[in-house]
Amino acid sequence: MTTSINHWIGGASVPGTGGRTADVTNPATGEVTGQVDLASQDDVQAAVAAATAAFPGWRDTSLTKRTQILFAFRELLNARAPELAAIITSEHGKVLSDAAGEVARGQEVVEFACGMPHLLKGAFTENASTGVDVHSTRQPLGPVAIISPFNFPAMVPMWFFPVAIAAGNTVVLKPSEKVPTAAIWMAQLWKEAGLPDGVFNVLQGDKVAVDGLLTHPDIASASFVGSTPIARYVYETGTAHGKRVQALGGAKNHMVVLPDADLDLAADAAINAGFGSAGERCMAISALVAVGDVADELVAKIHDRATGLVTGDGTRGCDMGPLVTAASQDRVSGYVDAGESAGAKLVVDGRTVQPDADGKGFFVGPTLFDHVTPDMSVYTDEIFGPVLSVLRVDTYDEAVDLINANPYGNGTALFTNDGGAARKFQNEVTVGMIGINVPVPVPMAYFSFGGWKNSLFGDTHAHGTEGVHFFTRGKVVTTRWLDPSHGGINLGFPQNT
Ligand code: NAD
């Protein structure tokens, strides 16, 4: 018995009209658990129409009322977070504790957005010119599109929609068709929190839905997160259709270990950042750069830890879950084959893992390569699986050159006890998010999240003040209350007196 997963339009569950659906699977068992609607053009029209109709009323709802609804959403989410975590585990496969962590990090953005009255405060200058006052405001854009990836079914949409909604926009969220249920669950929670119908809509689907949103004249902006080729396409298509776009792409994140680092702490960090969520994180560490003579000892320590990890069904208290689909499993295994053929030393082989799970889940266990070189596909490509590659370099400068030559620039980490080296590193690397002895440096909600180079197309990062800027546009009002002394004709450019 499978469930049917529909759109959420105008405050209600709405079945798709095109007759196209996709299977949704439980990655830990391989079982098909549902069929998700894939939007037709008519479905796109209906979702955008609902968001467009709801916009004037929501834009004009007072900030006090808007934020009261955000606070209500926060309270409901706090009370019911385990339900959402269970949905994430059942469709994505990540272990329950990791899913709960994802919900908590998304909730931080809801809490940030609860402060929207303060964030939207403009500036006022009295008597800028004689008898003339000037003030600035920021106003919402209109109906906005959010297109999210499979790997964070709740957190990534929450990077955007709390800020968008609190600022007075209406939303059409297009979740990944691999993990569609979390978005519907959050839509129901918004309704319970008192959000007017049509302010938050969910359009299920694939490229048809994305293209429909990117080219729709009533959609004001697109916030996208996914792989780099699609991010580039979304940026180019959206901007060509007059939209404001922020498109976050893929990653290849390096962790550099200097000779003075504590190697036990570095090995723990490499395990957590390399194999957490089965490596399906855009901030996962996939390249470990060992500087000087640390490599042999570090690789041995990572080996011992990796072989002790339990891979299996995320509901059973394992360390690591499955990959999201059978196709991902094949793809990741293919990279392990390629790394071996290219001459890298396979220290731990995840292809032979014995998972703690029933059925035919999509498992690849923790995999560790040593002696990887920059020309190998295990280094050049974003594998998006539990594959950690160790590269050996002689100097700090070689490590930084490697990072800066990489086309991605999402996150990076340095492990050292040398403050001077850390300060130099954070200044020199061409990467957006940097951890000093922090392997997964995901910024807090009140800072902004985003990479450099091929990891982000657009000018603004997600949430924090950049997120508020993205979802609003500025106006400056210059005011003079006229009296008879202001009469007279003067065609010159206005000058201040
Ligand atoms: P994906 O690019 O396959 O899909 C992302 C979204 O785009 C989905 O909603 C999908 O339905 C849609 N899509 C897929 N193909 C499309 C097409 N041809 N045209 C238009 N839309 C299309 O990404 P994914 O596999 O779901 O997610 C993993 C990727 O996301 C990884 O590359 C990861 O690094 C990246 N990611 C990046 C960040 C970040 O902050 N930079 C965060 C999370 C994930």
Side-chain angles (χ1 to χ4, degrees), residues 47 87 100 107 137 140 144 191 212 214 255-256 296 327 331 362 365 369 401 427 439 454 457-458 467 477-478 482 496:
I87 289 170
Q107 178 74 298
T137 62
V144 300
K191 194 171 172 86
L214 292 177
M255 170 172 157
V256 178
D296 286 343
R331 190 171 167 276
F362 313 133
F369 275 117
D401 288 348
N427 176 255
N454 285 351
F457 302 92
V477 183
T478 304
L482 295 173
N496 297 321

Side-chain angles (χ1 to χ4, degrees), residues 25 44 57 66 123 143 174 187 280 302 360 406 438 474 481:
T25 46
V44 176
R66 293 208 302 248
K174 206 300 285 173
E280 290 174 326
I302 297 172
K360 290 204 168 109
N406 195 283
V438 174
W481 294 104

Side-chain angles (χ1 to χ4, degrees), residues 122-137 475-481 496:
F124 185 93
T125 299
E126 186 183 41
N127 223 25
S129 186
T130 305
V132 174
D133 303 328
V134 182
H135 74 274
S136 63
T137 62
K475 264 185 184 167
V476 179
V477 183
T478 304
T479 305
R480 179 168 64 184
W481 294 104
N496 297 321

Side-chain angles (χ1 to χ4, degrees), residues 147-152 156 159 174-178 205-207 210-211 224-228 230 233 248-251 282 382 384 410 449 455:
I147 300 150
S148 53
F150 81 82
N151 67 323
F152 284 106
V156 165
W159 281 351
K174 206 300 285 173
S176 165
E177 61 276 40
K178 294 173 188 148
D206 53 10
K207 181 172 168 55
V210 173
D211 287 346
F224 171 89
V225 181
S227 58
T228 287
I230 311 290
Y233 167 77
L248 284 67
C282 67
E382 182 186 39
F384 225 55
N410 215 39
F449 182 108
S455 295

Side-chain angles (χ1 to χ4, degrees), residues 64-373:
T64 303
K65 287 201 179 119
R66 293 208 302 248
T67 44
Q68 277 167 356
I69 292 169
L70 257 97
F71 273 105
F73 181 85
R74 173 190 181 272
E75 292 305 308
L76 286 168
L77 187 54
N78 271 349
R80 294 176 48 190
E83 279 175 47
L84 182 55
I87 289 170
I88 294 168
T89 295
S90 70
E91 292 185 353
H92 175 283
K94 64 178 74 175
V95 300
L96 265 177
S97 57
D98 193 28
E102 151 172 10
V103 174
R105 291 308 302 261
Q107 178 74 298
E108 289 173 10
V109 184
V110 178
E111 289 166 356
F112 168 73
C114 285
M116 194 54 74
H118 180 72
L119 294 160
L120 285 187
K121 266 190 334 200
F124 185 93
T125 299
E126 186 183 41
N127 223 25
S129 186
T130 305
V132 174
D133 303 328
V134 182
H135 74 274
S136 63
T137 62
R138 295 203 70 85
Q139 297 191 331
L141 307 178
V144 300
I146 298 168
I147 300 150
S148 53
F150 81 82
N151 67 323
F152 284 106
M155 184 187 77
V156 165
M158 281 199 271
W159 281 351
F160 305 103
F161 70 64
V163 178
I165 289 174
N169 302 280
T170 56
V171 169
V172 179
L173 167 64
K174 206 300 285 173
S176 165
E177 61 276 40
K178 294 173 188 148
V179 291
T181 304
I184 293 293
W185 189 91
M186 292 189 287
Q188 285 163 342
L189 210 68
W190 273 123
K191 194 171 172 86
E192 242 179 274
L195 192 71
D197 292 346
V199 175
F200 183 76
N201 306 279
V202 178
L203 182 70
Q204 307 286 7
D206 53 10
K207 181 172 168 55
V208 173
V210 173
D211 287 346
L213 292 170
L214 292 177
T215 56
H216 199 295
D218 293 342
I219 289 288
S221 74
S223 300
F224 171 89
V225 181
S227 58
T228 287
I230 311 290
R232 187 181 277 117
Y233 167 77
V234 165
Y235 182 76
E236 288 171 357
T237 310
T239 52
H241 286 82
K243 291 170 206 336
R244 192 178 276 203
V245 182
Q246 49 183 182
L248 284 67
K252 193 81 194 177
N253 303 315
H254 300 68
M255 170 172 157
V256 178
V257 181
L258 294 187
D260 72 308
D262 179 320
L263 295 190
D264 281 305
L265 295 182
D268 287 347
I271 289 283
N272 299 340
F275 305 133
S277 200
E280 290 174 326
R281 290 181 184 146
C282 67
M283 292 292 276
I285 293 292
S286 51
L288 193 149
V289 188
V291 179
D293 58 4
V294 298
D296 286 343
E297 196 182 338
L298 187 57
V299 168
K301 286 178 187 294
I302 297 172
H303 165 273
D304 293 349
R305 287 161 171 77
T307 46
L309 294 177
V310 178
T311 301
D313 187 324
T315 60
R316 296 191 184 175
C318 304
D319 298 303
M320 205 181 90
L323 292 161
V324 67
T325 56
S328 292
Q329 182 189 25
D330 290 346
R331 190 171 167 276
V332 172
S333 297
Y335 273 109
V336 182
D337 300 343
E340 248 188 329
S341 313
K345 182 177 171 200
L346 187 56
V347 181
V348 182
D349 185 354
R351 294 170 300 187
T352 54
V353 71
Q354 297 294 320
D356 174 14
D358 302 325
K360 290 204 168 109
F362 313 133
F363 293 97
V364 176
T367 300
L368 179 63
F369 275 117
D370 194 4
H371 295 284
V372 171
T373 53

